[in-house]
Amino acid sequence: MINVPSKVSIIVPVYNVENYLATCLNSLVHQSLQNIEIIVVNDGSTDQSEEIIQNFAREYPEKIKAFTKENGGLSDARNFGLDHTTGDYIGFVDSDDYVTETMFEDMLFLAEKHQANMVICNIQKVDQNGKITQKLTQIPNMSESICLEENFSVFADLSYFACNKLFKRDLFTGKRFKKGVHFEDIQLIPQLLLDCTHIAQTQNFHYQYLERTDSITKTHTEKGLDILKAVADVEHAFERSVYSNKRKELKNFQIFEGVYSFLAYLAFVKEEKVFYEMADQLSVFIKKREIKIQDILNYSRFGKNYLLSLPVKKKIFYLLFFAGQKKLIRKLI
């Protein structure tokens, strides 16, 4: 019997990234893993992105599968890509980022070695000259293979980016990214994790997250409330999962994503009325889940107190919020 090597499908949503797209696609067509397909979805770009895609498709027809659709947003483009994959495993790469040459070979090897449903690699932020500005270790102090039943703390501690992970295809059966929302990764990726029994990790910093200097500063608006809605969707999935008895980890997830991640977003909301409305919604979120302030202050991530690990300005911001001093917070913003 011939052992057919597993195929990896890499989905690349594209929207107006003409200055970065070639670097991204170059990093994918030159992967050391040969059995890949690169699903490039042009989500209604109005710049020269389509021309770049077509050039790559002509040069690498055995690897690039190019599609064009009307603009529908990141989730819609990813879902479109999922519907056109044929791989046994699926990865996502944002079109202004890039990856190391061995990323998918390394992660596929670990997936098959450990029969893992999901594999995670580290991320490093880079500037436009390729200089590393920050290293983001994802799961410190844990083994290469992780049994979730025995190490379910990772559910609350993980950063839920889609792009530094390799997924077994069947995780997406009946599941897709939620359209028309922000923070779609927080909404879906934890739900995929709840369907896993084993995950694996590599300590290699394979994913290169580009910090763009030409990006227009994003306006922080009431769209941040989508974080709380995402957490609520995950809570529903949690109750249906085989891990539904692990209440401590659920509470820690609510604290990390629903409180700390939300506050990190709220800190950049400039409009005063919106700020107070969102702060009130967070207070409702905390009260409804019976999360005590002491729970928040004591929350530890990967064994270390999270609040104490933060920069001084963030500590002050969070502590003032927990103390109910929202007017003082406004003076900090």
Side-chain angles (χ1 to χ4, degrees), residues 51-64:
E51 183 179 340
I52 296 167
I53 294 168
Q54 291 306 320
N55 287 340
F56 271 88
R58 281 191 292 270
E59 189 171 356
Y60 303 96
E62 75 287 358
K63 291 184 177 179
I64 299 274

Side-chain angles (χ1 to χ4, degrees), residues 195-255:
D195 284 338
C196 297
T197 57
H198 290 79
I199 63 174
Q201 66 156 333
T202 171
Q203 287 300 315
N204 290 320
F205 290 83
H206 282 307
Y207 197 84
Q208 316 299 300
Y209 176 89
L210 179 64
E211 292 192 290
R212 291 164 54 177
T213 56
D214 66 344
S215 292
I216 300 171
T217 303
K218 291 182 179 178
T219 304
H220 285 60
T221 68
E222 63 275 1
K223 280 290 185 182
L225 291 170
D226 284 352
I227 297 174
L228 303 184
K229 295 173 185 175
V231 172
D233 285 348
V234 174
E235 289 168 348
H236 292 310
F238 184 92
E239 298 301 341
R240 301 190 300 269
S241 77
V242 296
Y243 303 109
S244 60
N245 63 313
K246 297 185 181 294
R247 312 312 294 183
K248 178 184 176 183
E249 288 81 358
L250 174 62
K251 177 166 280 190
N252 282 341
F253 173 82
Q254 293 165 333
I255 291 170

Side-chain angles (χ1 to χ4, degrees), residues 117-327:
N117 310 102
M118 183 187 298
V119 183
I120 301 165
C121 74
N122 289 333
I123 299 171
Q124 55 191 17
K125 293 184 178 182
V126 295
D127 65 19
Q128 293 182 195
N129 297 315
K131 181 182 177 182
I132 300 167
T133 59
Q134 187 179 7
K135 285 181 172 286
L136 302 173
T137 301
Q138 299 300 290
I139 311 179
N141 307 320
M142 281 200 184
S143 63
E144 186 178 88
S145 177
I146 299 169
C147 170
L148 281 182
E149 179 62 37
E150 297 170 6
N151 299 279
F152 196 67
S153 61
V154 298
F155 173 74
D157 294 342
L158 268 182
S159 295
Y160 284 109
F161 309 111
C163 292
N164 69 323
K165 298 174 178 66
L166 185 68
F167 304 91
K168 194 80 184 292
R169 180 187 184 84
D170 60 9
L171 288 177
F172 289 96
T173 302
K175 290 188 175 67
R176 289 295 185 266
F177 290 93
K178 194 170 186 177
K179 293 192 285 187
V181 300
H182 289 51
F183 308 99
E184 56 282 306
D185 286 3
I186 296 175
Q187 194 271 345
L188 178 64
I189 308 304
Q191 295 190 52
L192 301 184
L193 187 73
L194 289 169
D195 284 338
C196 297
T197 57
H198 290 79
I199 63 174
Q201 66 156 333
T202 171
Q203 287 300 315
N204 290 320
F205 290 83
H206 282 307
Y207 197 84
Q208 316 299 300
Y209 176 89
L210 179 64
E211 292 192 290
R212 291 164 54 177
T213 56
D214 66 344
S215 292
I216 300 171
T217 303
K218 291 182 179 178
T219 304
H220 285 60
T221 68
E222 63 275 1
K223 280 290 185 182
L225 291 170
D226 284 352
I227 297 174
L228 303 184
K229 295 173 185 175
V231 172
D233 285 348
V234 174
E235 289 168 348
H236 292 310
F238 184 92
E239 298 301 341
R240 301 190 300 269
S241 77
V242 296
Y243 303 109
S244 60
N245 63 313
K246 297 185 181 294
R247 312 312 294 183
K248 178 184 176 183
E249 288 81 358
L250 174 62
K251 177 166 280 190
N252 282 341
F253 173 82
Q254 293 165 333
I255 291 170
F256 180 55
E257 295 292 1
V259 179
Y260 280 117
S261 293
F262 184 84
L263 280 173
Y265 183 95
L266 185 65
F268 293 94
V269 174
K270 299 300 182 186
E271 189 176 330
E272 189 170 343
K273 182 173 182 289
V274 174
F275 174 90
Y276 285 123
E277 288 173 351
M278 291 176 67
D280 288 344
Q281 287 297 310
L282 177 57
S283 297
V284 171
F285 174 92
I286 292 170
K287 184 176 180 180
K288 184 177 179 180
R289 286 153 182 82
E290 298 181 352
I291 299 171
K292 298 179 174 62
I293 298 301
Q294 204 61 37
D295 296 330
I296 299 171
L297 298 178
N298 289 337
Y299 166 68
S300 290
R301 189 178 187 215
F302 297 118
K304 295 182 179 180
N305 183 279
Y306 183 68
L307 187 63
L308 294 179
S309 72
L310 297 173
V312 173
K313 191 171 181 181
K314 272 193 173 182
K315 283 180 193 169
I316 294 171
F317 177 86
Y318 293 159
L319 289 170
L320 285 174
F321 184 90
F322 302 144
Q325 301 298 317
K326 295 171 189 175
K327 289 187 178 179

Side-chain angles (χ1 to χ4, degrees), residues 29-31 33-34 36-38 60-65:
V29 297
H30 293 112
Q31 284 293 296
L33 179 68
Q34 294 303 302
I36 64 171
E37 62 177 7
I38 304 160
Y60 303 96
E62 75 287 358
K63 291 184 177 179
I64 299 274
K65 292 185 178 179

